[in-house]
Every structure is written in structure tokens, then in C-alpha cells.
Amino acid sequence: MSEAEGSIDEGRRDFIRDLIRDDLATGRHNSIVTRFPPEPNGYLHIGHAKSICLNFGIAEEFGGRCHLRFDDTNPAKEEQEYIDAIQEDVRWLGFDWGENLFFASDYFAQLYDWAEHLIGQEMAYVDHLSADEIRQYRGTLTEPGRNSPYRDRSVDENLDFFRRMHAGEFAEGECVLRAKIDMKSGNINLRDPVLYRILHASHHRTGDTWHIYPTYDFAHGQEDAIERVTHSLCTLEFADHRPLYDWLIDNLPVPARPRQYEFSRLNLSHTVVSKRKLMQLVEQGHVEGWDDPRMPTLSGLRRRGVPPAAIRDFVGRLAITKSEGVVEIALFEHCIRELLNKTAQRRMAVLRPLKIIIDNYPEGRSEELEAINNPEDASFGTRQISFGREIYIERDDFMEDPPKKFFRLAPGREVRLRYAYYITCQEVIKDKAGKVVELHCTYDPATRGGTSPDRRKVKGTLHWVSASKGLPAEVRLYNHLFTDVEPGAGDDFRDSLNPQSLEVLKNAWVEPSVSDGAIGDVMQFERLGYFCRDRDSGPDKLIFNRTVALRDTWAKIQAKEKSKS
Ligand code: ATP
Ligand code: MG
């Protein structure tokens, strides 16, 4: 868990920020430019949030700017839907790229010219080997590669072939443009990497103009240079590509010299953070869509009720280092709870109702009682809640034959109803199958508000909802999407999908004031957790998503660690 230490405050220190401070101090750079470069082939997830907060955060802290650049170099997998969703998610997370919105596809003409430049310098050639042959010729980590028979063609011949590739004269896979570097290099990325491939696909922005598309390697550094990005921050898997990044920058007439730095990606327990895997969950119907509240996507988290500030707090606590690790999802949930505890209104709801009839409470009467909206913050004020002869309590809060440590309601026992009265259970009504269906209780009118004048103590305080004034609701309880800590460590990540990741409760009751909230507003249902109104709600149908339960497993993990040391 060493990944998860660090501070949330300004003046953050990590190797990247230290490097930037140094670059500014020595005058290597006068201002800092970073970028967040998503490929529009899926929705953003919590892993991307780490990169977004790092890149935009650094720009803010050092008075620089951060570009949002769509790395749209693969027309086969990209769509406008993703571009729109990504922009919405970055904004929602709290960042603003201002005028600095860019698309790799805007640079296609420039990149093409630079490819011809490399050919002219005898640093690139058109190869007719098939993809399989290229793989065979590439060698392995222990064996050097072999030169392609097409490697030593003349500049003119290469230019001619490349122009015909561009003109659409060849089929996909018939030829590629490769850099001419070193087939014996210890770094496989330098063994004549492919720079352009033929794709007869329509691009969402450039239409059918192009028949060839640059690879990530050929595009990325040059895009950084065009935009005068100073620090190109990416995840560790690109470390081995850095020599190629530098080789291209060194050998092309680019207007600036960006540098790439790598940091470890965020891996989160009990979930997957890979667009490819998330796409499978969506396409195979394991979840209801990219914004299913069980998904670690930003849109899923938003729908679940997670505030963007909690995500920023969470990723701000992650160390920016070069060591990979898995962060406990419990830490993320802890951050969500910590924020919502301060910001969420309290309400009462009963998820699995058990009816109580208070026999000595006058029939037809009801009264208003005062309830506190947030015990952490008096400025939230109070509200009125209706009490009457019939109420619902949580089925779990009653046991006919309670074990020793059960302090809630049981036959003959007295408990407090929050903000209301003390009640005593007098009679248990069961159906034919022996299931408890309702309870008859009596109340003590002297305990109004929940305190007794004779200072009689009760051990349990229960939440409740008035049966006549409460509103019916559906409540969706979400649990971890995967049962394994690291899904996919085995054969298939889908093997550990949690069959209980969603539990729908159709007979819940909520106090009427919860219907005042807008879609997405998060409230604490007392003793249960934080909930937000789902967009599936209609005028006559209230639906709530559980954002997070109240039980803080992270605090427990911490306490355990402490007691060990
Ligand atoms: P995925 O593996 O989910 O497909 P990706 O890296 O292919 O992710 P991109 O759209 O290329 O997705 O990502 C944009 C930026 O976000 C990149 O700079 C990438 O390094 C960063 N990023 C992606 N996943 C993570 C992660 N788990 N932690 C930190 N940064 C990430
Ligand atoms: Mg990528």
C-alpha cells in the first residue's frame, strides 16, 4: 500500500514535479505545457483520472497549460460518441483545457510530410513483408532481428511507393512504412518500427481523405512537438518506447523538443482499468452500459453519486512513482465517505421494511418532529418528519430470539426511534409460514424527540419511515464488480465477476423530503449509507443508487496495520 501515501495539499512533491521545478529554475523552460491524450475508443475510467489530475494539476500549479488532445490515429475503433463523453468527463472532473483542444488528425498532413522527410534522409523505407513476416524478422529479446529484403531500396523508389500508399493504390497489409534504425538493437522498439500502415477506413474527422494512418509511435512525439508540450507524461509501459520517441524528435525538423517521462499507472483492486476489458463488459452485457454505476468509468462513478472532488482527493493521495502496485478500492471508498460525510444531507429510508403498529398511538393522528440535516454542520439546519401510528423499520432491526449482543428491537424490549419516541415490542404477528409480518408496539408519549425524562436508558436507536406519509422507492445496492482482488490474474478476468454486484430492492420506503433532490444529489440514508437518485427515476417512481455503504473497511485495514506495528 505504499502507493497510497502522500499528501493532498499544494506544494506536492514527486519526481515529476521536482524535475519541473528544476527545469524552471535552470531556465530550461520558461513555462510548462502538458497534455492529456486519450484515444477516443472508449470511456474514461478512474485510471485516466490519475493522468488527468497529474497533467492538469501540474499546469495549474506551475502556471502553465494543459492540452486535451484526442489521439485519433486509428479510424477503425474511434467514434464521436467517445469524443463527446471524454470532454464531458474531463469537465466534470473539474478541469478546463480552454482553447487547447487538439486532434492528432489535424496533424496528418504535417506528419505525412515528415515521413517523406525521413525517406529522403534514408531513414525510412516501404516494406512489403506481411505482418507475420515482419514479426518473424523482428527477432526476440534474446535474438537479434534480420533486415527486410526491401530495406535498401533507393529514396526515389521508397518515395514512389509511399505516395502510392497514400493514394490508396494498395490493399491493407500489402505494405507499410518503417523507420530504418537497427534490426539488431537491444530495444525491440528500435528494430525498424512501423510508422504508417494502410487502412481503408473512414475517419470520423477526416472522412476518406487518408488511406494511410500513422502509428502511435510516429504520431505521439511529433504531436507533442507541434503543440510545444514540454513534459509528455505517460505510463510506464511506454518507457521502452522513449528511445524511439527521442530518435524521431532528433531526426525530424520539429519545432520543439518535448521530453517523455513515465509514471506508474493506477491499478485498483476488485475492478479492471482497461478500456478493452471494460468494452467487453459492455458489449457482452455483463453491465448495462459504460455508465453502469458498477463500472470504474467516470460516467459510471458520476451516476453512482461519487462527487468529482472525492476522485480528485483519491488520486491526489496516490504517489507518482515508477513502482507498480494495486491500490485498495477501500481507500477510494474511504475518500468518498469522508467527503460525503461533510456534504450530504441526512434522511431516513427503510430498505427492507417491517411494519410496526403502535397500538396506544391515536388512530388518524400524525405529528411533525424535528430532525437534524447534518450533525457535522449546523448550517444544514433541520427539517420536519411525520410520525404516526404505523411506521416501517428495517427488518434486520428486529429479532425474535436475539443473541446477546443484539441491542435492537426484540419481544418485550424497548428501543428509541430516531427523533421520535421510545417504543416497546408487545406482539409479533406471523404469517402461515412463520415469517414475521408485523409487530405491535406501544410508545411512551413522555419520550418525544427521543429522550426520556426519567433518564431511562435504551441501547438501540432505529431509523424508521412513516407508513402513511413515506414514499415507496426502488433502491439499487452495488457491490464490487469482481470478487478477486486482481481480476484477470487468472485466465480470464470475467471468471471473477461478482454475481452479487447488483441487488435491487423494490419495496423500500423513504421519507418524503428525499424527492426534493435532483438526479445525482447524494444523501445519507441514516445508518445505511450514501445514496443518490438515479436518472431512471420518473415522477411516480423513485430510484436510488447506493454510492457507498457507511462501514469503512479502509479505517479497519488501517487500524489493523497500526495494531501490528
Ligand atoms: P487503456 O489501457 O484503458 O486502454 P490507454 O492507455 O490505452 O488505456 P489512452 O486513451 O491512450 O488509454 O489513455 C490516455 C492517457 O491516460 C495516457 O497518457 C495513459 O497513459 C493514461 N492512462 C490510461 N490508463 C491509466 C491508468 N490506469 N493510470 C494512469 N494513467 C492512465
Ligand atoms: Mg493508449
Side-chain angles (χ1 to χ4, degrees):
M1 284 311 313
S2 59
E3 259 252 44
E5 281 150 22
S7 108
I8 354 167
D9 294 312
E10 322 74 64
R12 281 180 194 163
R13 303 293 305 250
D14 53 59
F15 78 98
I16 293 175
R17 286 172 167 93
D18 285 348
L19 222 134
I20 289 175
R21 281 188 191 98
D22 205 51
D23 285 345
L24 287 168
T26 60
R28 183 175 187 182
H29 294 294
N30 296 320
S31 64
I32 301 301
V33 183
T34 55
R35 88 284 170 267
F36 173 65
E39 188 183 346
N41 61 351
Y43 282 61
L44 297 181
H45 52 63
I46 183 85
H48 291 114
K50 180 175 179 183
S51 176
I52 295 169
C53 291
L54 179 67
N55 280 293
F56 281 93
I58 282 176
E60 276 172 16
E61 286 158 45
F62 294 96
R65 60 176 204 268
C66 180
H67 298 182
L68 176 61
R69 181 205 308 149
F70 287 100
D71 222 340
D72 55 348
T73 53
N74 184 355
K77 292 190 290 177
E78 296 161 4
E79 283 172 31
Q80 188 63 38
E81 175 196 347
Y82 301 134
I83 294 185
D84 298 339
I86 288 169
Q87 295 192 46
E88 183 183 358
D89 288 348
V90 174
R91 265 196 214 102
W92 174 73
L93 198 54
F95 298 102
D96 183 6
W97 52 89
E99 294 174 345
N100 301 303
L101 175 65
F102 300 100
F103 291 85
S105 52
D106 289 343
Y107 311 135
F108 282 170
Q110 174 68 81
L111 292 170
Y112 178 84
D113 287 347
W114 282 337
E116 286 207 352
H117 176 90
L118 279 185
I119 294 171
Q121 302 293 307
E122 296 187 65
M123 288 181 170
Y125 62 98
V126 172
D127 196 356
H128 296 270
L129 291 182
S130 68
D132 268 347
E133 288 166 328
I134 289 181
R135 213 168 298 125
Q136 285 160 22
Y137 275 69
R138 189 175 291 136
T140 62
L141 285 173
T142 50
E143 280 168 57
R146 282 176 292 142
N147 287 353
S148 161
Y150 303 97
R151 196 174 197 260
D152 293 314
R153 284 214 279 233
S154 70
V155 167
D156 287 344
E157 220 179 336
N158 277 317
L159 271 181
D160 179 54
F161 273 117
F162 189 51
R163 286 174 186 162
R164 285 164 58 195
M165 280 170 67
H166 176 30
E169 288 183 27
F170 301 107
E172 289 187 12
E174 230 182 307
C175 43
V176 292
L177 184 75
R178 298 178 71 176
K180 193 170 177 177
I181 308 180
D182 179 6
M183 289 306 291
K184 298 191 171 51
S185 171
N187 183 336
I188 290 184
N189 292 293
L190 293 179
R191 293 183 190 171
D192 293 8
V194 173
L195 306 181
Y196 268 93
R197 68 260 196 244
I198 295 169
L199 282 173
H200 296 297
S202 189
H203 187 279
H204 60 96
R205 296 188 85 238
T206 58
D208 297 324
T209 313
W210 293 90
H211 299 282
I212 54 173
Y213 290 90
T215 55
Y216 173 90
D217 283 324
F218 188 62
H220 206 86
Q222 284 55 257
E223 295 159 14
D224 287 339
I226 293 170
E227 293 176 19
R228 294 175 188 275
V229 165
T230 54
H231 298 77
S232 181
L233 311 177
C234 62
T235 36
L236 285 180
E237 65 272 23
F238 292 103
D240 288 344
H241 294 241
R242 179 153 35 102
L244 175 56
Y245 183 105
D246 290 339
W247 185 89
L248 288 164
I249 293 290
D250 287 341
N251 289 298
L252 287 170
V254 291
R257 193 173 203 318
R259 280 182 191 275
Q260 174 184 303
Y261 301 95
E262 309 87 23
F263 63 96
S264 60
R265 56 196 291 121
L266 165 62
N267 298 305
L268 196 56
S269 75
H270 302 284
T271 190
V272 291
V273 280
S274 146
K275 277 184 284 189
R276 188 178 55 79
K277 290 178 179 171
L278 295 172
M279 173 89 75
Q280 283 183 40
L281 296 179
V282 173
E283 287 181 343
Q284 295 166 4
H286 298 294
V287 294
E288 269 151 40
W290 285 100
D291 74 344
D292 185 302
R294 290 167 290 181
M295 290 280 272
T297 51
L298 298 185
S299 52
L301 296 170
R302 173 165 67 236
R303 184 165 172 198
R304 186 161 170 160
V306 175
I311 299 176
R312 293 196 301 268
D313 176 24
F314 169 62
V315 300
R317 294 184 195 209
L318 306 174
I320 302 293
T321 64
K322 285 190 179 280
S323 53
E324 295 275 9
V326 178
V327 176
E328 279 285 345
I329 203 165
L331 172 64
F332 183 35
E333 292 168 353
H334 171 79
C335 294
I336 300 168
R337 242 178 241 119
E338 198 171 76
L339 180 71
L340 290 175
N341 182 41
K342 293 182 225 140
T343 58
Q345 299 258 355
R346 273 44 169 183
R347 293 293 182 265
M348 289 206 283
V350 170
L351 301 189
R352 298 173 183 86
L354 175 61
K355 191 176 236 180
I356 289 188
I357 296 155
I358 300 168
D359 290 327
N360 60 339
Y361 193 90
E363 237 165 299
R365 187 162 112 194
S366 77
E367 64 187 302
E368 298 295 306
L369 298 164
E370 188 167 53
I372 291 168
N373 287 333
N374 187 331
E376 303 284 316
D377 186 343
S379 73
F380 279 66
T382 60
R383 68 187 185 284
Q384 300 293 307
I385 48 175
S386 294
F387 186 76
R389 184 178 154 89
E390 297 193 2
I391 60 163
Y392 294 110
I393 63 161
E394 213 66 62
R395 195 161 266 284
D396 285 357
D397 281 338
F398 171 78
M399 279 184 94
E400 201 177 7
D401 191 10
K404 247 195 167 153
K405 289 209 165 152
F406 185 85
F407 298 123
R408 296 167 266 167
L409 198 59
R413 184 179 295 170
E414 186 171 51
V415 295
R416 175 192 295 111
L417 293 176
R418 183 119 162 104
Y419 301 122
Y421 294 98
Y422 286 13
I423 56 165
T424 304
C425 177
Q426 306 293 356
E427 193 189 353
V428 180
I429 311 288
K430 295 181 189 173
D431 64 11
K432 279 195 200 120
K435 187 182 170 201
V436 176
V437 288
E438 66 186 37
L439 305 175
H440 284 263
C441 296
T442 50
Y443 86 117
D444 177 357
T447 57
R448 191 173 198 272
T451 46
S452 117
D454 62 2
R455 299 181 184 238
R456 189 164 86 241
K457 285 260 169 17
V458 286
K459 279 198 169 155
T461 299
L462 311 186
H463 61 274
W464 54 274
V465 170
S466 154
S468 61
K469 299 282 170 66
L471 301 173
E474 175 179 316
V475 173
R476 298 172 180 174
L477 303 181
Y478 300 103
N479 296 302
H480 297 153
L481 192 47
F482 293 92
T483 50
D484 278 1
V485 177
E486 288 181 68
D491 281 348
D492 189 337
F493 70 102
R494 288 163 302 187
D495 294 346
S496 81
L497 270 165
N498 179 5
Q500 265 107 47
S501 62
L502 169 62
E503 189 183 352
V504 181
L505 304 173
K506 299 235 178 219
N507 303 311
W509 290 89
V510 295
E511 63 168 275
S513 63
V514 303
S515 66
D516 301 344
I519 303 290
D521 280 0
V522 189
M523 290 160 287
Q524 185 191 98
F525 289 168
E526 294 206 28
R527 298 179 65 224
L528 297 172
Y530 294 96
F531 293 80
C532 84
R533 193 160 164 194
D534 189 77
R535 64 162 155 74
D536 285 350
S537 298
D540 307 315
K541 191 171 185 212
L542 289 169
I543 301 175
F544 295 93
N545 296 322
R546 183 171 70 191
T547 310
V548 66
L550 286 182
R551 197 166 51 102
D552 192 335
T553 47
W554 176 250
K556 268 193 204 142
I557 293 169
Q558 296 293 84
K560 222 191 241 167
E561 303 254 302
K562 232 186 197 166
S563 70
K564 266 193 257 162
S565 62

